Amino acid sequence: MKRPKLKKASKRMTCHKRYKIQKKVREHHRKLRKEAKKRGHKKPRKDPGVPNSAPFKEALLREAELRKQRLEELKQQQKLDRQKELEKKRKLETNPDIKPSNVEPMEKFGLCKTENKAKSGKQNSKKLYCQELKKVIEASDVVLEVLDARDPLGCRCPQVEEAIVQSGQKKLVLILNKSDLVPKENLESWLNYLKKELPTVVFRASTKPKDKGKITKRVKAKKNAAPFRSEVCFGKEGLWKLLGGFQETCSKAIRVGVIGFPNVGKSSIINSLKQEQMCNVGVSMGLTRSMQVVPLDKQITIIDSPSFIVSPLNSSSALALRSPASIEVVKPMEAASAILSQADARQVVLKYTVPGYRNSLEFFTVLAQRRGMHQKGGIPNVEGAAKLLWSEWTGASLAYYCHPPTSWTPPPYFNESIVVDMKSGFNLEELEKNNAQSIRAIKGPHLANSILFQSSGLTNGIIEEKDIHEELPKRKERKQEEREDDKDSDQETVDEEVDENSSGMFAAEETGEALSEETTAGEQSTRSFILDKIIEEDDAYDFSTDYV
């Protein structure tokens, strides 16, 4: 039996072997140096930048700097969000029984479902949205439906309103949020139209930064300085008085549910009423994924809810403006062109300082040039311009407005007795005075600076869980039917083209029945338009240079 080795083998070697290894290494390095000399030393290529001969050089450089700043700010915000999420997870892992002090538990109000169940998966997210929305409507005594003042009719969901009416003994109140983005004349006309049906409150929520801390403390610290526009809130006192008066008539504690489509400002209204950052607020649509109970007072409790689920049977403009997943389902070009088709072309040209356009593709190419959005080779980034327009129209910065209908026609689920019942218990005279004060205080844009938009009417939503599964096969069947119709039409056109080759081609181009023909014609027109413009401004234009 061999004796086991207790010590490791020694790494010592003879001097002859060590010197031989060193010699081989030196020869290898010498060979590499010789090969590098033969190839030559290549310097890294520098970015040539924008040439002096290029038109609008200063504007392009400014836009590039602004884009860099925006990207840096977005990265910083994302880092802060990640840090906050990690901190919350750590707290929950260390102390799973502890709940936030400001937010009361849902079990007190008979609401057992937590936020963790809402984040279980993307497949069941729509079902959970429906369940959470039903819970909010059942638990609340007063329901506040938040509307975007720029398109109030498009923010109303008939299915949800009908469910509230059928539930009985629940009050429905409309809130016109983002009222500073609408001209005063238009805001007054919408208020006169909506108050015939339901009690309406003019509101302008304060979009506060994400860090916690009360607004009142900041205002006290800066008495002499004028408050930021983002911190100013209008209509808060009127809503407080309305809810307080209703609570006194009921003589019991009330629960108020806040509902609406995505990105109308539900969470920001709760934050401005509480004067504290209680709910998550952001630019992206559909941040609130589960209900959240926030006590405003000893007698009033407010419940934040997830947004309505938009039915895919709505118009393309309604899907682009109201659905949080519209950019994933619908392409950016289709969504943005649907919005652009509903807007007034003259006012769009004045707002974006763009020459007159013949179609949406031409508008996006010129807009990409104006904003300095280019791809490799100086090609304008059309999709980027479409996404930019979509984000501006869904955000809270662009001013556009819709005209209310000429005649008031109540929906079928409303009648005179229901309208009287909805208004009972509220002090409407005091509400009118508060609305008039807030309209005076709000500094809205002029009609010349805002864009006229044609509303597509009421937006249909989904409440029942079974409707979510039913709509998907319907859409597939419709697509199959459309494909079959296209095949039949193609066969018919082939027979016609044998006799009339040239006439058929010209007719298809004029009518624009096929989308592919429209895009090719639009691309050719835009390219010719851009080339003519560049040749006029500078004959010695170099297409090989990259302006980004």
Side-chain angles (χ1 to χ4, degrees):
M1 188 173 176
K2 287 185 179 180
R3 191 176 178 182
K5 289 183 179 181
L6 300 174
K7 291 183 180 179
K8 290 181 180 179
S10 176
K11 291 183 180 179
R12 292 179 69 181
M13 63 176 72
T14 59
C15 293
H16 175 71
K17 193 175 182 181
R18 189 169 67 248
Y19 295 149
K20 196 174 181 181
I21 290 164
Q22 288 174 1
K23 188 180 178 183
K24 290 280 183 186
V25 169
R26 284 197 298 273
E27 284 176 2
H28 177 69
H29 287 310
R30 200 181 298 122
K31 198 180 282 184
L32 289 174
R33 282 197 296 273
K34 278 184 180 180
E35 287 176 0
K37 279 182 182 179
K38 284 177 184 177
R39 276 187 260 120
H41 184 68
K42 290 183 179 180
K43 292 181 181 179
R45 288 184 71 184
K46 290 182 180 178
D47 185 13
V50 183
N52 293 325
S53 60
F56 312 109
K57 183 186 174 181
E58 293 179 0
L60 286 168
L61 291 170
R62 281 179 208 153
E63 286 170 2
E65 286 176 4
L66 286 168
R67 259 183 284 132
K68 283 180 183 177
Q69 287 177 2
R70 285 172 193 164
L71 286 168
E72 286 174 0
E73 287 173 2
L74 282 169
K75 284 178 183 177
Q76 287 176 359
Q77 283 180 359
Q78 286 173 359
K79 282 182 182 178
L80 289 167
D81 293 341
R82 285 171 196 161
Q83 286 174 1
K84 285 178 182 178
E85 283 177 3
L86 287 168
E87 284 173 6
K88 284 179 184 178
K89 285 178 183 177
R90 284 169 191 166
K91 284 177 183 177
L92 288 168
E93 285 171 1
T94 52
N95 300 318
D97 296 327
I98 291 170
K99 293 179 182 179
S101 59
N102 291 327
V103 180
E104 290 190 7
M106 293 182 189
E107 286 84 358
K108 188 176 179 181
F109 302 100
L111 311 170
C112 303
K113 194 155 267 192
T114 54
E115 288 184 8
N116 296 327
K117 288 185 181 179
K119 296 176 183 178
S120 60
K122 290 182 181 178
Q123 292 178 356
N124 299 325
S125 61
K126 287 186 177 181
K127 283 187 179 181
L128 291 166
Y129 275 35
C130 291
Q131 289 171 7
E132 297 288 310
L133 186 64
K134 280 181 183 177
K135 281 192 172 184
V136 171
I137 292 166
E138 286 172 7
S140 55
D141 302 312
V142 180
V143 182
L144 305 178
E145 189 178 7
V146 184
L147 311 177
D148 194 338
R150 298 175 289 184
D151 185 12
L153 206 64
C155 294
R156 291 185 69 176
C157 182
Q159 287 81 14
V160 176
E161 289 181 3
E162 191 174 358
I164 292 161
V165 169
Q166 287 176 359
S167 61
Q169 296 180 354
K170 291 184 191 297
K171 305 293 180 183
L172 183 62
V173 179
L174 302 176
I175 296 178
L176 279 172
N177 195 22
K178 300 181 184 180
S179 51
D180 59 327
L181 300 173
V182 174
K184 285 188 179 182
E185 300 86 0
N186 187 257
L187 185 64
E188 286 174 357
S189 60
W190 270 113
L191 185 64
N192 293 327
Y193 177 81
L194 293 170
K195 73 180 182 182
K196 292 175 184 176
E197 194 172 331
L198 292 165
T200 310
V201 182
V202 174
F203 206 90
R204 196 267 174 200
S206 60
T207 53
K208 205 169 76 68
K210 283 194 175 183
D211 55 338
K212 285 198 172 184
K214 292 195 175 181
I215 297 167
T216 50
K217 289 180 182 176
R218 292 191 175 189
V219 174
K220 284 178 184 176
K222 298 179 181 180
K223 280 185 180 179
N224 297 326
F228 290 107
R229 196 185 172 195
S230 61
E231 292 183 2
V232 177
C233 177
F234 298 105
K236 183 179 70 177
E237 292 177 2
L239 188 57
W240 263 109
K241 287 176 182 177
L242 190 76
L243 296 173
F246 181 74
Q247 187 270 323
E248 285 176 2
T249 54
C250 292
S251 66
K252 65 170 187 178
I254 59 165
R255 291 183 291 249
V256 182
V258 182
I259 60 170
F261 280 104
N263 218 7
V264 291
K266 300 184 292 294
S267 301
S268 56
I269 284 168
I270 293 167
N271 291 338
S272 54
L273 285 171
K274 186 71 178 173
Q275 291 188 335
E276 194 174 349
Q277 190 73 19
M278 300 298 294
C279 306
N280 289 327
V281 179
V283 179
S284 59
M285 301 171 86
L287 277 175
T288 307
R289 295 184 180 181
S290 62
M291 60 192 298
Q292 187 178 0
V293 181
V294 180
L296 291 180
D297 199 356
K298 289 181 180 179
Q299 302 296 327
I300 301 168
T301 306
I302 199 158
I303 307 167
D304 192 11
S305 69
S307 56
F308 300 153
I309 297 166
V310 183
S311 175
L313 303 173
N314 286 304
S315 63
S316 55
S317 61
L319 285 169
L321 290 168
R322 306 282 166 247
S323 179
S326 59
I327 288 297
E328 295 173 8
V329 177
V330 185
K331 291 178 182 178
M333 284 286 292
E334 291 177 9
S337 58
I339 293 165
L340 198 67
S341 64
Q342 300 291 105
D344 189 7
R346 291 180 183 177
Q347 291 173 346
V348 168
V349 164
L350 291 169
K351 182 71 180 177
Y352 289 97
T353 60
V354 171
Y357 56 93
R358 285 167 283 185
N359 52 22
S360 58
L361 191 70
E362 187 175 337
F363 172 78
F364 294 134
T365 50
V366 179
L367 182 66
Q369 281 190 326
R370 293 288 296 171
R371 298 292 174 94
M373 301 172 77
H374 295 283
Q375 294 175 347
K376 286 184 179 180
I379 300 162
N381 190 0
V382 179
E383 282 193 4
K387 282 180 183 177
L388 186 136
L389 183 127
W390 181 83
S391 62
E392 283 184 359
W393 279 76
T394 52
S397 58
L398 190 73
Y400 66 89
Y401 66 98
C402 304
H403 288 304
T406 52
S407 61
W408 179 69
T409 53
Y413 50 86
F414 271 109
N415 52 34
E416 291 180 1
S417 62
I418 291 167
V419 169
V420 171
D421 188 29
M422 287 289 178
K423 291 180 180 179
S424 65
F426 295 112
N427 192 352
L428 297 175
E429 291 179 0
E430 194 173 0
L431 179 63
E432 284 183 5
K433 289 177 184 178
N434 291 320
N435 283 336
Q437 287 177 3
S438 56
I439 287 166
R440 285 175 207 157
I442 290 166
K443 291 182 180 179
H446 294 289
L447 284 166
N449 298 330
S450 53
I451 301 166
L452 180 63
F453 183 76
Q454 290 180 1
S455 179
S456 56
L458 297 168
T459 307
N460 294 315
I462 302 168
I463 299 176
E464 299 297 329
E465 297 168 28
K466 56 188 177 183
D467 295 338
I468 294 164
H469 291 290
E470 285 175 2
E471 283 180 358
L472 294 169
K474 281 180 185 177
R475 288 179 73 188
K476 287 179 182 176
E477 285 174 5
R478 285 183 180 180
K479 283 181 180 178
Q480 286 176 359
E481 286 175 2
E482 285 175 2
R483 284 171 186 171
E484 287 174 1
D485 293 335
D486 291 333
K487 284 178 183 177
D488 295 332
S489 63
D490 289 335
Q491 287 175 1
E492 288 174 3
T493 49
V494 164
D495 297 329
E496 288 175 2
E497 279 176 4
V498 171
D499 299 327
E500 299 177 357
N501 289 322
S502 60
S503 63
M505 289 291 286
F506 285 119
E509 285 177 5
E510 285 175 3
T511 52
E513 289 174 357
L515 286 167
S516 59
E517 290 176 1
E518 277 185 6
T519 50
T520 50
E523 284 174 3
Q524 286 175 3
S525 63
T526 45
R527 282 173 187 170
S528 61
F529 174 75
I530 292 160
L531 285 168
D532 293 338
K533 203 171 184 183
I534 291 163
I535 290 159
E536 283 175 7
E537 289 172 352
D538 192 0
D539 296 326
Y541 185 75
D542 189 7
F543 287 91
S544 63
T545 53
D546 190 359
Y547 293 123
V548 180

